[in-house]
Amino acid sequence: MLIAHITDLHIKLPGKLAYGIVDSADFLKRCVSALQSLTPQPDLIVVTGDLVDTGYAAEYAHLQQLLAPLEIPLLVVPGNHDERESMRFSFPLQDWTSSSDFLQFSGIFGPLRIIGLDTVVPGEGRGELCAARLDWLTEALSADSETPTLILMHHPPFLTGIGHMDKIGLTGRETFAEILSHHAQVKLILCGHLHRPISSVVGGCLALTCPSPAHQVAFDLRPDGPSCFRMEPPGFMLHLWTHDGFVSHSVCIDDYAGPYPFFDDDGKFLDD
Ligand SMILES: [Fe+2]
């Protein structure tokens, strides 16, 4: 099973730029066309939050227009820039847990169980897994300890060393790690929020953040570094599930020179 992972799209109203600079709609168009050109095609696309920039219903309508060319099933979880009710309305077919205020879900998709967590604290940049959300997760994991499981969440459950992002990091991550340490069926945790690829191990499980198809958070490990972004190469990730487990690839969206062959027509290594 091949899963495309996109995150932090930050779609605005048509014609508006994010932070006065980023044409996030144009970047998403380029991402959609990169996804369409993949061979083989992904079986599923997962989006780990910040689908839109300010949570307006009209931004979700704009997002849906931009995603419309994709004919691949899509699963989404909210980020700190999303608004729960607008998002629930915009993705009515997603099987959200109906008994909760949170936009969470757990379901079987091909050979995997995929669990989506809602780490949003309305009106704040930081994330939280409160007791109610962690109890729901424990129940979901305990109900099926056999099926290999993928978790989607916006805020990563680890500190990144990028000071200003860690200040709006995830509360409850210690308990989350403790829960995961009892559930070896969880094979991978996919996150957003950081707008760049970062990996860590949480409760014995690999956790990854993913580049944005638009702007990237500036690389800066100073504890008091400013909150800034850069127009580094936009990207997404591809996660291939086989009997051996997951293998994850980071993919650049834009065209670069090549591909160039390593060998000539006679099969000899090119070396001048
Ligand atoms: Fe974001």
Side-chain angles (χ1 to χ4, degrees):
M1 185 180 191
L2 185 62
I3 299 174
H5 177 195
I6 61 176
T7 195
D8 294 86
L9 316 177
H10 287 267
I11 296 305
K12 312 257 318 165
L13 297 174
K16 294 239 178 201
L17 302 178
Y19 315 105
I21 291 174
V22 184
D23 187 346
S24 52
D26 188 59
F27 277 113
L28 181 54
K29 282 181 195 162
R30 285 151 61 182
C31 178
V32 164
S33 106
L35 290 167
Q36 287 179 304
S37 70
L38 291 172
T39 305
Q41 278 284 280
D43 301 292
L44 180 70
I45 298 171
V46 298
V47 194
T48 49
D50 286 2
L51 283 69
V52 302
D53 200 46
T54 47
Y56 297 136
E59 289 180 336
Y60 287 98
H62 189 201
L63 169 72
Q64 290 292 9
Q65 279 174 20
L66 294 162
L67 294 175
L70 292 171
E71 293 174 346
I72 304 168
L74 199 93
L75 288 174
V76 299
V77 291
N80 49 294
H81 285 257
D82 290 301
E83 200 281 318
R84 285 189 183 121
E85 283 319 300
S86 299
M87 191 165 149
R88 192 190 292 270
F89 181 78
S90 182
F91 293 90
L93 298 180
Q94 187 156 325
D95 192 12
W96 304 110
T97 305
S98 53
S99 61
S100 167
D101 292 337
F102 304 115
L103 293 185
Q104 308 202 117
F105 65 88
S106 172
I108 297 290
F109 301 86
L112 300 172
R113 174 170 294 281
I114 302 184
I115 293 178
L117 296 178
D118 179 340
T119 56
V120 171
V121 181
E124 298 191 39
R126 73 181 179 96
E128 182 175 7
L129 285 175
C130 57
R133 283 173 270 195
L134 288 168
D135 287 350
W136 179 88
L137 173 65
T138 301
E139 207 171 294
L141 290 172
S142 301
D144 176 8
S145 59
E146 297 298 319
T147 311
T149 298
L150 172 67
I151 291 181
L152 312 177
M153 57 201 291
H154 181 67
H155 296 81
F158 56 85
L159 293 175
T160 65
I162 299 179
H164 66 92
M165 294 304 289
D166 287 343
K167 284 175 190 142
I168 54 168
L170 183 71
T171 306
R173 63 180 184 277
E174 297 86 357
T175 314
F176 175 80
E178 165 68 15
I179 292 167
L180 280 209
S181 71
H182 299 293
H183 292 282
Q185 80 269 26
V186 181
K187 304 301 183 191
L188 187 61
I189 303 161
L190 300 181
C191 313
H193 197 45
L194 266 295
H195 294 234
R196 58 186 310 110
I198 309 173
S199 58
S200 188
V201 173
V202 175
C205 183
L206 180 64
L208 302 173
T209 66
C210 178
S212 167
H215 52 298
Q216 317 302 327
V217 168
F219 176 70
D220 184 347
L221 294 179
R222 292 173 295 173
D224 296 318
S227 176
C228 292
F229 65 89
R230 282 182 184 272
M231 302 316 295
E232 290 178 4
F236 59 89
M237 296 191 84
L238 287 169
H239 309 283
L240 178 65
W241 170 259
T242 69
H243 292 301
D244 283 344
F246 270 114
V247 64
S248 297
H249 295 262
S250 190
V251 183
C252 286
I253 288 172
D254 286 333
D255 266 345
Y256 295 91
Y260 302 112
F262 286 113
F263 300 96
D264 67 16
D265 290 342
D266 298 324
K268 289 176 69 178
F269 197 67
L270 287 162
D271 177 21
D272 60 5

